[in-house]
């Protein structure tokens, strides 16, 4: 038990807390990486164990592949995989040093002409890919891929030549948003929460928050899901809630919602835990294996969000 961070589980489901039910689900279904991440965040596991598991996805070009982001199968490196790897490193306090210098070299090598990241490079063609992720010959710069990466690097005070033009791209993309969808707004928030120019970030976030409410991008009353629109191209029931935009109380997006709206969304999130101990995924499921791999990831993030807001999970 000491080697894995696992803890003995109560004998009956009714005796288990949300955390112990989730632990059972993770040991039953998760990849080694998510098992190690769960142990790190909730069971006293080590950052070294997480980093060792993550290293299995790294390629010789200093990028990441091998379905680290489960909706992209195959061995080839992709910017979305690199972003996922950086989120993992950030979550364990290892987003710095030579490990991140190598990732930045990869980001430089795959950037578009304006210095930003495409979501998917053509090398993905021929490998199984989610049908909602298009693979094109000349992919454009993408805020969804670039914003979270730039935000993470700034939050960890990483300074690399790649960041300068990528940061400029994010500012231009965020400040030009007039009509958007939840995932794009979430990427914008990930950038703004750590952008160095705080007054500019606060002004941009204030405008985005008004847009989110005007365009009804967040469900403010979970008891009336049927009355809430789903963005074009999203799957049935692919709703987004205040906690999706403001993962922690310190996020700029927290100011977009009243205390009551945030409380309702967190109540809804807590109640979403399934009988098997895991949380559901809301986007379109296109292959059984990817859905199985994604649910432990979603479960870890749900628990981290509830914990960040002071909700009891133990």
């Amino acid at each position: 038990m000491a080697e894995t961070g696992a803890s003995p589980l109560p004998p009956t489901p009714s005796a288990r807390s949300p955390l112990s039910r989730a632990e059972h689900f993770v040991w039953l279904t998760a990849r080694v990486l998510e098992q190690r991440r769960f142990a790190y965040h909730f069971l006293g596991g080590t950052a070294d164990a997480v980093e060792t598991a993550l290293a299995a996805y790294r390629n010789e070009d200093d990028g990441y592949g091998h379905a680290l982001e489960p909706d992209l199968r195959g061995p080839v490196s992709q910017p979305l995989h690199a972003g996922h790897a950086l989120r993992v490193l950030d979550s364990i306090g290892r987003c710095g040093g030579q490990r991140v210098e190598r990732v930045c070299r990869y980001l430089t090598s795959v950037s578009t002409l304006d210095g930003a990241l495409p979501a998917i490079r053509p090398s993905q063609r021929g490998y199984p890919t989610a049908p909602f992720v298009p693979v094109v010959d000349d992919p454009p710069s993408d805020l969804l891929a670039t914003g979270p990466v730039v935000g993470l690097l700034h939050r960890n005070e990483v300074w690399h030549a790649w960041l300068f033009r990528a940061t400029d791209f994010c500012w231009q993309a965020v400040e030009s948003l007039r009509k958007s969808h939840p995932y794009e707004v979430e990427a914008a928030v990930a950038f703004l929460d750590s952008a160095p120019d705080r007054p500019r970030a606060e002004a941009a976030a204030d405008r985005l928050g008004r847009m989110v409410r005007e365009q009804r991008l967040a469900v403010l009353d979970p008891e009336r899901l049927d009355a809430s629109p789903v963005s074009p191209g999203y799957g049935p029931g692919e709703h987004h809630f205040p906690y999706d935009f403001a993962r922690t109380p310190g996020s700029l997006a927290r100011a977009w919602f009243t205390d009551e709206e945030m409380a309702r969304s967190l109540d809804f999130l807590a109640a979403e835990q399934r009988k098997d101990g895991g949380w559901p995924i809301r986007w379109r499921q296109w292959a059984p294996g990817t859905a199985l791999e994604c649910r432990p990831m979603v479960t870890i993030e749900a628990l981290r969000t509830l914990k960040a807001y002071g909700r009891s999970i133990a």
Side-chain angles (χ1 to χ4, degrees):
M1 291 296 183
E3 294 181 358
T4 64
S7 59
L9 297 175
T12 61
S14 61
R16 297 178 187 171
S17 67
L19 182 61
S20 62
R21 290 164 56 206
E23 181 183 350
H24 178 82
F25 174 77
V26 166
W27 295 130
L28 179 66
T29 65
R31 304 181 299 188
V32 172
L33 176 58
E34 281 69 51
Q35 291 177 6
R36 298 296 194 187
R37 290 193 67 212
F38 186 93
Y40 172 83
H41 288 296
F42 306 110
L43 303 174
T46 67
D48 286 344
V50 177
E51 196 165 1
T52 297
L54 180 64
Y57 296 88
R58 192 171 64 233
N59 286 324
E60 292 182 2
D61 62 1
D62 292 321
Y64 288 79
H66 307 281
L68 176 58
E69 186 68 41
D71 284 330
L72 305 179
R73 316 305 291 182
V76 295
S77 297
Q78 291 293 341
L80 288 180
H81 293 314
H84 190 122
L86 288 172
R87 286 194 298 275
V88 171
L89 291 171
D90 175 67
S91 72
I92 61 172
R94 297 286 179 88
C95 193
Q98 291 186 355
R99 61 178 68 79
V100 173
E101 177 73 24
R102 291 194 297 265
V103 177
C104 286
R105 285 200 297 266
Y106 165 76
L107 299 177
T108 302
S109 72
V110 299
S111 290
T112 58
L113 292 177
D114 54 10
L117 297 173
I120 308 295
R121 302 185 71 236
S123 56
Q124 185 65 29
R125 187 173 285 113
Y127 296 103
T129 307
F132 46 84
V133 183
V135 181
V136 299
D137 290 332
D138 188 20
S141 300
D142 192 329
L143 180 61
L144 272 75
T146 311
V149 169
V150 172
L152 281 173
L153 295 179
H154 280 307
R155 179 161 70 248
N156 288 277
E157 299 182 345
V158 173
W159 292 105
H160 188 276
W162 177 79
L163 262 177
F164 292 98
R165 294 181 66 206
T167 299
D168 288 342
F169 166 81
C170 289
W171 279 124
Q172 190 279 329
V174 169
E175 293 177 336
S176 64
L177 287 178
R178 293 296 179 269
K179 186 173 178 58
S180 189
H181 58 92
Y183 291 123
E184 188 172 49
V185 174
E186 289 168 22
V189 171
F191 166 69
L192 293 174
D193 274 348
S194 300
D197 188 339
R198 299 315 297 156
R200 188 177 180 182
E202 290 166 5
D206 182 67
R207 187 185 64 80
L208 279 183
R210 293 195 301 271
M211 186 183 73
V212 164
R213 297 187 75 91
E214 290 166 1
Q215 297 178 14
R216 300 172 64 195
L217 301 183
V219 174
L220 302 181
D221 185 356
E223 294 185 0
R224 301 183 59 204
L225 281 181
D226 292 343
S228 300
V230 173
S231 294
Y234 283 29
E238 197 169 353
H239 296 289
H240 289 245
F241 301 84
Y243 61 75
D244 288 309
F245 299 97
R247 286 285 176 181
T248 68
S251 171
L252 290 173
R254 174 61 186 87
W256 301 353
F257 310 105
T258 67
D259 291 346
E260 183 181 0
E261 289 166 349
M262 182 58 70
R264 281 200 301 259
S265 78
L266 292 170
D267 289 343
F268 177 81
L269 178 62
E272 279 283 272
Q273 188 175 23
R274 297 299 190 244
K275 290 182 178 180
D276 61 8
W279 267 259
I281 59 175
R282 291 195 162 273
W283 60 89
R284 280 177 287 173
Q285 302 179 34
W286 63 281
T290 60
L292 187 65
E293 290 176 353
C294 286
R295 283 194 66 206
M297 295 161 53
V298 171
T299 296
I300 291 170
E301 293 311 310
L303 290 168
R304 292 184 68 201
T305 298
L306 292 168
K307 184 178 180 181
Y309 279 95
R311 294 297 184 101
S312 176
I313 59 174

